[in-house]
Amino acid sequence: MYPGPQLIGSTSIRLLTLFPDQDDDAPLRCSLEAANLADNPGFIALSYVWGTTAQPPHVVLCNDHPFEVTENCWEALVQLRRDMWRPGNTSSSSEGASLATLWIDAICINQKDEAEKTGQILLMGDIYKKASSVCIWLGKGDSQTDEAMTYLITCGFQDLLGPSGKHSYLIPPKAHLRALSRVIFIRYIEILSFSVWPRNARERNRTTMYLPDQMVSDYVVPALLGRPWITRVWTLQEAVLNPNPWIQCGSKRLPWRSLVHSIAFISHFGRFNEASNRWIAVIKMWNEIHLDTNDREALDESREQFFRRARPDIITHWSMPIFLSFGLGLLSILLTPAIGSLVVLYVILAICYLYLALYLWAIVNCNLVDHLGRNRVSLHPGSILNPLRAIVQEIRRRGCREPIDRIRGAIAVLNQLGMDIRGPITDDNFAAISTELTVKWLEGCKSLNLLLCCSNPGPQGQPSWVPNWGVFEEDSWLDPRYLSFTPMDLRSDRYKLSNELRDPNTLTHRVRRWFASVTGSNITGYQLGTAIRPLGAGSNGGDWPTSGMCTPMSRPVWSLRDDQGLALLGKEVGHITWVSQDFQTTAETFDERELPLHIHNMENIRTLRLRQHSDRPPFPRVPVWRHIPSYYIFDGDTSQSLDSPWKLLFSKFGRWHGLIWWFLHLPAQDIISRLNRYHSLANYHIKLTNAFAKKQRVLAEASGGSFGVRYSNCPRGTAVGDHIFIISGIALPLVLRETQDIGVYRLIGFAEVRSAELMLGKVWWRILEDSSLHEVIIR
């Protein structure tokens, strides 16, 4: 029997009062009382992941009745009760609400009453919005999470800054000088200390110089930021809607001000980008809802300026002590005639080279060499991500039980961002609401790249241009960075474009075209990563999408044709002439019993390669990296870049691709037997084919006058005769299928074609010169 009182009225909720007890082993005791949300009662809402139920289950005494809760909820309650006795926090929070007054969905909602649960779910947005504060519970703490939380509380020189309001810092005029002096005189000494305690340095694997304020283990911050809380769709609104959230993991508490500053700091220096990216999206939406536009821009600008001035590259670069040692030594030699004493020279030289030796020894012991190539400050997607693009990414990447929950869990945030979607979302109106949301997203995002999320077949009853929210980001081939960047972003001063991309009729372009006609090498494309690159990024384009941008600088042009038709501006550039069979899922390691499945998958790859009669070896005399590498057609892992010939040559893909090409004349079973001689390549091959099966992709041959015959990666369901279009405002080509109506198509999905001319914009410029764009209607 549920121990709480009956709810009366549409705005009625239950609040939990947690009773204090200094004995951690004492049972958790609480009371449940009804309250009216319209009266603005003071309480703290708990945002957490339910998790699993322990065996035996944990029990909370609610109104003297035992009530079972999950292990994560029980640990949160134990810690909150313990925090009542924390010095300076014994009775109330800074907002005046008793720390013992909580709202926890698992307890305050009768989960067995479906009618009540439905009504309370509709209220959850208002509950978290009107709560005095929200405790974001990341889970039970340990020594590693304590280290990460301690670092985030202080990182970015927060001790040098003064609070400004509730959620920002006031940066004093001389703060960057104090930070810089700390880096020069303290941080280098900490580096040198590792030459004395090498074992401690290896075990902790510090990032040292690459986060200039203090040392922190490489793995603890990503592990904390990647905890399950950030992966669930229902927790999105719980953090974004409330003006006073705070983070708690174990006994450590992180103010929202510190979180925002810390994420900006570690992202600015290119550290933990994968982990911080998701929090950047959450912070971006929170800023949009709770901060004024001018305040947001001023805070971002002052923070970035402080980071740049606190750590100029020339002074704090890892090699600066080396040049400093040689410089002081050279200076002492030059000043020796004026001093007139060789003893002084020898002493200064001895100090300089002892310092240099210790520093180099510390670099080896600290494992800093592994970080040198990766320490590139890149333009993070969050820096240009608008809130509507951010929520699209979060909806796709967060987990839930049903596709409809992706919209239900974010509807309150969507309404706060101006989408204005009213009424409960049910299975009956889900298709209509998804269509309405897509139209509003296209208007707000100023981007058509949302159409890259569409897949065939989509949900029943909605147009093909509406995204399929049932596809989880990990199950999609789409690089999520395409939802951050758009072709129009290339008009911004944030990017530098090569002259040949801005103007295809440059002298360089003409020389390449002549050389290609003479040698037959077909190197008329642009080198990946150099045609389009964010300012300040590394040679691989930083966080720029790896497969290129086939319509650079194009505008999103679209209009509605009744409720089902979307009119776009595009051009057909080819059609599908051959499609492989569907790939089959196998075990992660080779199993002889699955040999027929492996033969089937290998035959798909072998048949495609045999059809490419004009294809050259994977590493011919003419640089293959001037094409769009076939790496991006076969491997959906975008976490690394193989844009240089040496990376491509020595990568697993390069060896796998070379082996298959070399034995292409053999039957598929023989190729598999040769792959199995190299376990790493065999496992890599299985990983690729399983990715095709999981992400529902097939190999296809695409033929078109614009780019010749090239193989491509297309969505499952692609058929011979389907058309390949490039659309103004969409970064990748689309596979469209003709309908019975002339000029009307159905969207199958996006394609990646192994053609630099197409994927890096040369075909697009040619189309613009010919003025051959026309209207394309998708239903």
Side-chain angles (χ1 to χ4, degrees), residues 117-129:
K117 188 164 65 172
T118 301
Q120 291 287 289
I121 287 176
L122 294 177
L123 271 181
M124 283 181 67
D126 291 332
I127 291 173
Y128 283 96
K129 183 179 178 180

Side-chain angles (χ1 to χ4, degrees), residues 327-443:
L328 290 177
L330 179 60
L331 181 63
S332 64
I333 294 175
L334 295 177
L335 294 179
T336 298
I339 298 176
S341 174
L342 291 177
V343 175
V344 176
L345 170 64
Y346 294 150
V347 171
I348 294 177
L349 289 178
I351 293 174
C352 290
Y353 292 119
L354 177 62
Y355 173 82
L356 178 61
L358 291 175
Y359 182 77
L360 294 177
W361 179 244
I363 284 180
V364 175
N365 288 335
C366 293
N367 202 23
L368 285 180
V369 179
D370 293 342
H371 297 289
L372 299 182
R374 293 183 289 161
N375 185 47
R376 292 169 175 168
V377 178
S378 61
L379 180 66
H380 199 277
S383 59
I384 65 171
L385 196 67
N386 72 27
L388 289 180
R389 296 184 195 176
I391 198 170
V392 170
Q393 284 194 357
E394 289 304 300
I395 288 175
R396 293 186 73 245
R397 64 167 50 124
R398 289 178 178 246
C400 58
R401 294 182 180 179
E402 300 292 338
I404 194 173
D405 288 339
R406 295 187 187 278
I407 306 299
R408 282 176 174 169
I411 193 66
V413 180
L414 291 169
N415 287 332
Q416 287 292 315
L417 294 175
M419 302 296 274
D420 194 22
I421 304 298
R422 300 300 177 186
I425 302 176
T426 64
D427 293 331
D428 296 333
N429 65 3
F430 179 59
I433 288 182
S434 294
T435 304
E436 180 184 358
L437 272 176
T438 303
V439 174
K440 293 185 177 181
W441 258 316
L442 294 178
E443 294 172 347

